[in-house]
Amino acid sequence: MALDDSLLDDTARLTDTDGAGLLRAAAMAGAQVRATIEACAELGLADRLDVGRPRAVVLVVRPGVSRSAVLLLNALLAHSCPVPVVVAETVPGWIGALDVVLAHTDDPYDADLAAALERAARYGATVVLSGPREGPVASAIAGRGVLIAPRVLVPPELSFARALSAGLLTANALGLLVADVESLPDLLDGEAERCHPAHESFVNPAKALALRMADHTPLLWGLDNPAIAVGQHAAYALGAHAAIVCDAADYRQAMARPALHHAAARSVTERNIFADPDDFSAEASPPRVLLLAVRTGPAADGARYRANELLPSADLIAPADEIEADDAGRAAVLALRFELSAVYLGLAAGTIGGTGHFAPAGV
């Protein structure tokens, strides 16, 4: 991509280029969580989900941020969840009154999801939907489920914080997880402030990350399960805003692909300023490894040590080195940093921005 690096540190030009206000929308992640907490309190979510221990929890994956939010919630639950957690694109046929179904969507007309949730509600399952108030999806569970409607409207690509917080609040209410959702808005507000457009690249984590990924193929390799899920969301965000294709994987899986691992190990870590831009024989987008770590403790330290031995030049991004938070908080902060980086990259490369309004790409 032809990246205009100077745009990132020119606040006036950056603001003008961001005609759709995507940076501001991304920075509203904390507000999304705060509004979701308020909505769940008004709905009496904890009381409505006081159904005892469910037989199983079904996390329904739909297109968009739903996928990465589900993967992260599953990673957080899998650590100590006392009941089976099923990740599926639809509601399984065995669903019944002892099960809980959780779904997030930004598409109120998702016919497949509407049919699946209607069937789950008809069979007596407890259904929690994070999605718009109007449309067939919401109508499918009207009077038979819990609808957590958005109160802070952002483009669908930036609704990850709302999707995740709805999932965390549901898991907390069911007694399956202990996540500090109340502190999450302040953590996300703090990250948004650190990554504010007025802060220059050398002190702005999102801008610095954007510059590290520019003109490279990012290899987003997670050192623990929540970090792997965040890597998946980062890949989604980079594709959505910056048209960048990434590799997002478990570091152990990356190690099992010798050719790619070797290419990553031998790739240069800095841009060659003497390279001929018209020399197409050179590698156009050399790989850059970003090792992601969410969890702390002996196992996490061991994974970091092993990865650093084999890839000493890789960038390690570990929120635990910067903030005090639980796994959910650290993962959410890391996800927001990548979202903001993706928007910065998209604006600097011209894949988003300008006078146009955010809209699906035409055919």
Side-chain angles (χ1 to χ4, degrees), residues 62-197:
R62 301 309 298 157
V65 301
S66 168
R67 177 171 297 277
S68 42
V70 162
L71 291 176
L72 178 53
L73 184 60
N74 183 48
L76 295 169
L77 283 168
H79 198 51
S80 58
C81 185
V83 303
V85 179
V86 178
V87 175
E89 294 188 358
T90 188
V91 173
W94 47 258
I95 203 73
L98 299 178
D99 305 312
V100 174
V101 175
L102 171 65
H104 169 87
T105 186
D106 289 292
D107 178 6
Y109 302 102
D110 185 337
D112 292 337
L113 179 60
L117 296 185
E118 190 280 332
R119 186 173 71 254
R122 180 160 31 94
Y123 289 167
T126 300
V127 180
V128 180
L129 169 65
S130 166
R133 193 179 300 279
E134 72 283 353
V137 177
S139 297
I141 63 165
R144 298 183 296 177
V146 181
L147 173 63
I148 307 171
R151 297 185 174 186
V152 176
L153 299 180
V154 297
E157 288 78 4
L158 296 172
S159 66
F160 176 81
R162 176 165 61 87
L164 177 62
S165 57
L168 292 174
L169 289 165
T170 299
N172 279 357
L174 290 168
L176 305 179
L177 187 67
V178 180
D180 186 4
V181 187
E182 294 294 331
S183 69
L184 191 50
D186 290 339
L187 289 171
L188 293 173
D189 287 347
E191 181 65 15
E193 170 56 31
R194 286 188 291 273
C195 300
H196 192 278

Side-chain angles (χ1 to χ4, degrees), residues 205 209 212 219-224 227 251 288-296 300-309 311-322 334 337-338:
L209 179 57
R212 293 292 288 168
L219 307 181
L220 309 174
W221 292 346
L223 300 180
D224 53 68
Y251 178 73
R288 167 148 288 158
V289 180
L290 303 173
L291 299 175
L292 313 182
V294 168
R295 290 204 161 119
T296 58
D301 292 341
R304 285 199 207 185
Y305 179 79
R306 290 190 298 273
N308 186 63
E309 273 193 321
L311 289 170
S313 63
D315 292 345
L316 174 66
I317 308 178
D321 297 339
E322 307 170 32
L334 186 55
R337 184 171 303 177
F338 272 104

Side-chain angles (χ1 to χ4, degrees), residues 209-301:
L209 179 57
L211 291 173
R212 293 292 288 168
M213 293 188 291
D215 300 325
H216 288 79
T217 299
L219 307 181
L220 309 174
W221 292 346
L223 300 180
D224 53 68
N225 289 335
I228 296 165
V230 174
Q232 295 284 347
H233 181 64
Y236 167 79
L238 287 164
H241 300 297
I244 292 178
V245 177
C246 320
D247 179 65
D250 181 339
Y251 178 73
R252 294 165 297 181
Q253 178 67 14
M255 289 286 291
R257 296 177 291 177
L260 182 59
H261 194 272
H262 177 68
R266 65 179 171 79
S267 64
V268 295
T269 58
E270 298 296 337
R271 185 185 307 171
N272 182 2
I273 62 174
F274 301 108
D276 181 357
D278 296 322
D279 180 10
F280 296 103
S281 64
E283 193 171 11
S285 298
R288 167 148 288 158
V289 180
L290 303 173
L291 299 175
L292 313 182
V294 168
R295 290 204 161 119
T296 58
D301 292 341

